[in-house]
């Protein structure tokens, strides 16, 4: 029986000049096996009646066989074993511990961020001091308690560590979620949560942990986050007459044919602003109280932030046309003021859709609060926010980090899905994530480590007063959008590629949430007087330079 040449041999005998010539005489052709050469017929067929073709052995096939999954698995096991052997070689005195089962878990934590360089774990770089972070302290405690094995003790990535919200240095959270694969039952430890808390600093607490689905990821499954921002009510007092901001906004209002709304304000009309010192003003500010009209104004303005808007002016380095700038704010509320010590405080709660990088935690909450406070204190119409949601780009500074608090992340979608999918009696059922189970402990921690710290710093340092005086001392055009018509003038617009002559410079001191108890530290907020601010030179971050240059 005759059969056609294999595809490989047939391709060699094609007419193309790029292919090797097929030598039917069997001389000089190394591409055809010897067995085939002896059976070649003049018609180009091969007699395989006595010897069947075997493409794997009789032909030089260019297609390589795929690696089996078993080989890949064996390779991974060899690499894992090599990693364990390497660790054992570096730790010869360590006894090999038994392998305990790991489960995907959600850890509910709270912390005061004043002494830490943010939430996210940071590897120590050679030659640089160690950066203390919330995740770094938590991970060390988990390793010491035995919830993370020694094999995984050097890198949190090995256990899939993730967080629901990444907070900046100094930012507090009474509730946050960290997810990872951990050992839930440690031999000899009856209460693992209590054991971990004994290993944590007192300003970081583990409220509890629970097993979650294997696909759980704290960052990706977080639907929303709830924040609270606290500020002294005296920030609502209009700019001091004669300050740079007062003069700039007066001149601009006059050019529009308007008068500034804070003429003859009761706070400033009872004294001579030109002779009063900042210390005298500070005493009067602490005794000042917001009126019902101020609160109603705040609540009317903040409603403008609700629903979906383009928040490009409230974040950093975002193209105004980028669709990721559109975010949904569910609910914003202004609470009734409360007096602590001599100062009255106002709390604003924000409940919003999961935010993009640099949004609520880093800038927008603080920037949104700047817009809220400045629109209220200058009498600017609410329609300014409609302008800020458009593509026009302006500069909006940040309020001090001291007032920002992450209440807790929300996992509505995850909780709903597991409730529909499985019954509580099912062995694969997982409990919903609910911070209300720890509300009593969280409220106590919030009062002791966050609120008391916040108020103590303001009482000793007058941080918010230093911040508002730095705003009022600025004499550039960045804030001309705060005008009686609520229209952004061309002078305040940041144009791409255009360098601004006198950009507003934000001070690093207002990102701090921790100060020494005495007055020996290098930075003194009280020294930020109008005159000092006028001539002070602060180093700018890369992002601030980009904003300054448009």
């Amino acid at each position: 029986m005759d059969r056609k040449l294999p595809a490989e041999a047939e391709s060699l005998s094609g007419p193309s000049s790029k292919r090797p010539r097929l030598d039917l005489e069997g001389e000089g052709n190394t591409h055809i096996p010897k067995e085939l050469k002896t059976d070649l017929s003049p018609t180009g067929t091969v007699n395989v009646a006595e010897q069947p073709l075997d493409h794997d052995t009789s032909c030089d096939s260019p297609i390589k066989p795929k690696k089996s999954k078993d080989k890949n698995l064996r390779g991974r096991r060899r690499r894992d074993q090599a990693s364990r052997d390497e660790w054992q070689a570096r730790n010869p005195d360590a006894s090999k511990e038994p392998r305990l089962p790991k489960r995907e878990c959600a850890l509910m934590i709270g912390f005061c961020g004043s002494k830490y360089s943010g939430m996210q774990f940071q590897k120590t770089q050679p030659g640089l001091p160690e950066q203390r972070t919330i995740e770094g302290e938590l991970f060390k405690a988990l390793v010491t308690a035995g919830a993370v094995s020694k094999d995984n003790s050097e890198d949190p990535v090995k256990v899939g560590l993730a967080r629901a919200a990444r907070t900046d240095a100094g930012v507090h959270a009474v509730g946050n979620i960290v997810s990872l694969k951990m050992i839930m039952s440690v031999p000899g430890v009856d209460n693992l949560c209590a054991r971990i808390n004994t290993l944590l600093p007192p300003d970081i607490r583990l409220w509890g942990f629970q097993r979650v689905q294997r696909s759980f990821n704290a960052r990706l499954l977080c639907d929303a986050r709830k924040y609270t921002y606290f500020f002294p009510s005296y920030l609502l007092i209009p700019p001091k007459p004669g300050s740079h901001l007062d003069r700039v906004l007066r001149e601009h209002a006059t050019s529009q044919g308007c008068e500034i709304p804070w003429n003859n304000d009761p706070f400033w009309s009872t004294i001579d602003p030109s002779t009063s010192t900042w210390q005298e003003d500070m005493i009067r500010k602490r005794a000042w109280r917001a009126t019902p009209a101020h609160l109603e104004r705040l609540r009317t303005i903040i409603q403008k932030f609700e629903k979906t808007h383009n928040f490009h002016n409230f974040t950093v380095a975002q193209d105004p046309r980028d669709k990721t700038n559109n975010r949904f704010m569910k609910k914003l509320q202004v609470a009734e003021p409360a007096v602590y010590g001599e100062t009255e405080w106002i709390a604003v709660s924000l409940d919003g859709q999961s935010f993009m990088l640099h949004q609520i935690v880093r800038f927008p909450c603080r920037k949104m609060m700047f817009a809220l406070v400045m629109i209220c204190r200058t009498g600017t119409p609410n329609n300014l926010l409609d302008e800020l949601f458009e593509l026009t780009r302006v500069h909006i500074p940040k309020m001090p980090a001291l007032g920002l608090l992450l209440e807790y992340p929300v996992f509505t979608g995850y909780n709903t899905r597991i409730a529909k999918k499985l019954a509580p009696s099912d062995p694969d059922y997982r409990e919903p994530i609910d911070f209300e189970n720890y509300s009593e402990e969280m409220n106590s921690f919030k009062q002791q480590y966050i609120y008391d710290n916040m108020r103590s710093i303001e009482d000793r340092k007058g941080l918010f007063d230093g911040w508002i005086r730095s705003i009022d001392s600025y004499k550039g055009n960045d804030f001309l959008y705060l005008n009686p018509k609520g229209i952004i003038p061309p002078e305040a617009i940041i144009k791409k590629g255009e360098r601004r002559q006198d950009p507003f410079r934000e001070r690093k001191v207002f990102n701090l949430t921790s100060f020494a108890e005495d007055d020996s530290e290098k930075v003194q907020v009280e020294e930020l007087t109008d005159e000092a601010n006028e001539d002070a030179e602060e180093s700018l971050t890369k992002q601030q330079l980009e904003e300054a240059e448009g």
Side-chain angles (χ1 to χ4, degrees):
M1 179 178 66
D2 291 339
R3 188 177 293 172
K4 287 289 184 180
L5 282 171
E8 294 84 349
E10 195 170 301
S11 65
L12 293 173
S13 61
S16 174
S17 61
K18 295 182 180 180
R19 299 168 181 162
R21 185 175 61 85
L22 181 64
D23 187 357
L24 298 180
E25 297 299 325
E27 296 179 0
N29 186 0
T30 60
H31 292 278
I32 304 298
K34 182 177 180 181
E35 295 83 358
L36 292 181
K37 293 178 185 177
T38 57
D39 292 334
L40 286 173
S41 67
T43 60
T45 60
V46 180
N47 190 338
V48 292
E50 298 179 358
Q51 184 176 355
L53 286 176
D54 185 349
H55 290 282
D56 293 332
T57 57
S58 63
C59 293
D60 187 13
S61 174
I63 302 175
K64 295 181 180 180
K66 295 182 178 179
K67 292 182 179 180
S68 68
K69 293 183 179 180
D70 291 338
K71 290 184 178 179
N72 290 337
L73 182 60
R74 287 196 296 270
R76 285 197 300 272
R77 287 174 177 171
R78 283 196 298 270
R79 289 192 295 272
D80 292 343
Q81 185 60 47
S83 177
R84 288 192 290 270
D85 293 342
E86 181 183 355
W87 182 90
Q88 191 67 36
R90 292 197 304 268
N91 302 270
D93 297 333
S95 59
K96 292 186 177 180
E97 56 181 12
R99 295 177 63 86
L100 300 174
K102 300 189 296 290
R103 300 289 183 262
E104 190 70 37
C105 292
L107 285 71
M108 283 140 281
I109 65 172
F111 54 86
C112 174
S114 296
K115 300 178 181 178
Y116 302 94
S117 300
M119 172 77 184
Q120 193 168 6
F121 181 87
Q122 298 179 23
K123 285 189 176 181
T124 303
Q125 300 297 326
L128 296 177
E130 180 183 0
Q131 296 290 322
R132 291 188 71 200
T133 65
I134 305 300
E135 286 183 352
E137 296 294 324
L138 176 64
F139 191 70
K140 285 192 293 186
L142 292 172
V143 172
T144 306
V148 173
S149 66
K150 292 182 180 179
D151 291 346
N152 299 324
S153 62
E154 295 184 359
D155 189 358
V157 175
K158 292 183 177 181
V159 291
L161 188 143
R163 80 289 310 164
R166 184 181 66 181
T167 58
D168 274 354
V171 176
H172 317 301
V174 69
N176 201 356
I177 288 283
V178 171
S179 61
L180 77 161
K181 292 180 179 178
M182 63 175 279
I183 300 168
M184 298 183 66
S185 298
V186 178
V189 179
D190 296 332
N191 189 331
L192 183 57
C193 182
R195 170 61 177 156
I196 294 171
N197 275 323
T198 62
L199 301 170
L200 286 170
D203 51 4
I204 303 177
R205 293 291 88 186
L206 174 64
W207 308 126
F209 63 88
Q210 61 191 62
R211 189 176 175 184
V212 292
Q213 293 180 330
R214 286 184 295 176
S215 60
F216 183 85
N217 182 287
R219 181 178 64 85
L220 299 179
L221 293 179
C222 179
D223 303 308
R225 301 179 179 95
K226 291 187 177 182
Y227 290 84
T228 302
Y229 193 88
F230 298 87
F231 65 90
S233 62
Y234 66 71
L235 295 187
L236 302 178
I237 298 172
K240 183 175 183 178
S243 66
H244 289 309
L245 183 64
D246 175 76
R247 293 201 296 266
V248 169
L249 296 185
R250 281 179 187 273
E251 292 173 1
H252 182 66
T254 301
S255 67
Q256 290 182 316
C258 306
E259 290 187 359
I260 59 170
W262 63 88
N263 271 334
N264 301 318
D265 182 80
F267 183 84
W268 299 115
S269 62
T270 56
I271 64 168
D272 184 359
S274 63
T275 60
S276 66
T277 64
W278 67 266
Q279 293 95 334
E280 295 171 342
D281 293 342
M282 186 74 257
I283 294 174
R284 298 177 65 245
K285 286 178 180 179
R286 295 195 189 281
W288 187 84
R289 301 293 180 255
T291 65
H294 286 102
L295 298 175
E296 182 63 28
R297 178 95 167 104
L298 286 174
R299 288 164 180 154
T300 302
I301 297 170
I302 206 169
Q303 287 179 357
K304 283 279 189 178
F305 285 108
E306 293 183 349
K307 300 183 180 179
T308 302
H309 300 288
N310 184 341
F311 283 89
H312 74 94
N313 269 319
F314 300 91
T315 185
V316 175
Q318 287 292 120
D319 185 339
R321 294 177 176 81
D322 193 332
K323 296 299 183 183
T324 61
N325 294 324
N326 295 327
R327 282 296 182 268
F328 179 71
M329 296 297 296
K330 295 181 179 180
K331 191 174 183 179
L332 296 94
Q333 292 180 306
V334 177
E336 288 294 320
V339 178
Y340 298 96
E342 299 177 350
T343 306
E344 182 181 67
W345 292 78
I346 296 176
V348 179
S349 61
L350 304 96
D351 183 359
Q353 179 187 26
S354 290
F355 300 98
M356 58 187 153
L357 181 65
H358 298 314
Q359 217 186 19
I360 282 292
V361 173
R362 291 198 167 189
F363 296 107
C365 181
R366 292 162 64 185
K367 290 195 171 194
M368 288 164 63
M369 292 302 99
F370 174 88
L372 174 68
V373 167
M374 294 302 291
I375 289 175
C376 184
R377 77 188 292 249
T378 60
T380 302
N382 302 347
N383 61 279
L384 172 64
L385 285 175
D386 297 326
E387 298 264 337
L388 296 178
F389 292 140
E390 297 297 330
L391 298 181
T392 304
R393 189 171 172 222
V394 301
H395 180 64
I396 300 178
K398 306 181 295 292
M399 291 272 277
L402 181 64
L404 183 59
L405 169 66
L406 169 63
E407 293 287 353
Y408 55 85
V410 180
F411 293 84
T412 305
Y414 171 79
N415 291 343
T416 303
R417 186 172 69 252
I418 61 175
K420 289 182 178 180
K421 189 175 181 180
L422 299 171
S425 58
D426 194 296
D428 293 330
Y429 175 77
R430 302 290 178 260
E431 291 289 332
I433 296 175
D434 188 2
F435 279 94
E436 293 298 324
N437 298 330
Y438 312 99
S439 58
E440 186 175 345
E441 302 99 307
M442 291 169 65
N443 288 333
S444 176
F445 177 84
K446 181 164 54 175
Q447 183 67 43
Q448 180 180 357
Y449 287 95
I450 300 176
Y451 288 169
D452 289 352
N453 173 68
M454 185 186 305
R455 295 160 189 156
S456 172
I457 290 175
E458 170 58 24
D459 289 342
R460 291 186 294 112
K461 298 296 175 185
L463 186 72
F464 283 95
D465 179 60
W467 176 82
I468 201 66
R469 284 188 287 113
S470 74
I471 297 293
D472 288 355
S473 66
Y474 178 60
K475 56 184 177 181
N477 294 326
D478 283 347
F479 307 143
L480 288 183
Y481 50 77
L482 300 169
N483 58 70
K485 292 187 177 181
I487 299 175
I488 301 176
E491 301 94 321
I493 296 175
I494 300 176
K495 298 178 182 178
K496 189 174 182 179
E498 181 181 28
R499 186 180 183 88
R500 291 182 288 150
Q501 295 297 321
D502 188 16
F504 179 77
R505 297 178 177 181
E506 300 189 50
R507 298 175 175 279
K508 295 180 180 179
V509 65
F510 300 120
N511 290 327
L512 301 178
T513 59
S514 178
F515 294 87
E517 288 295 328
D518 56 24
D519 294 330
S520 62
E521 65 266 19
K522 188 175 181 180
V523 177
Q524 291 290 331
V525 179
E526 289 87 346
E527 295 176 358
L528 296 176
T529 62
D530 291 354
E531 292 76 18
N533 272 317
E534 183 177 352
D535 299 322
E537 291 293 334
E538 289 286 336
S539 60
L540 299 179
T541 64
K542 180 180 178 182
Q543 184 55 52
Q544 288 170 332
L545 284 172
E546 291 176 357
E547 288 192 352
E549 296 175 359

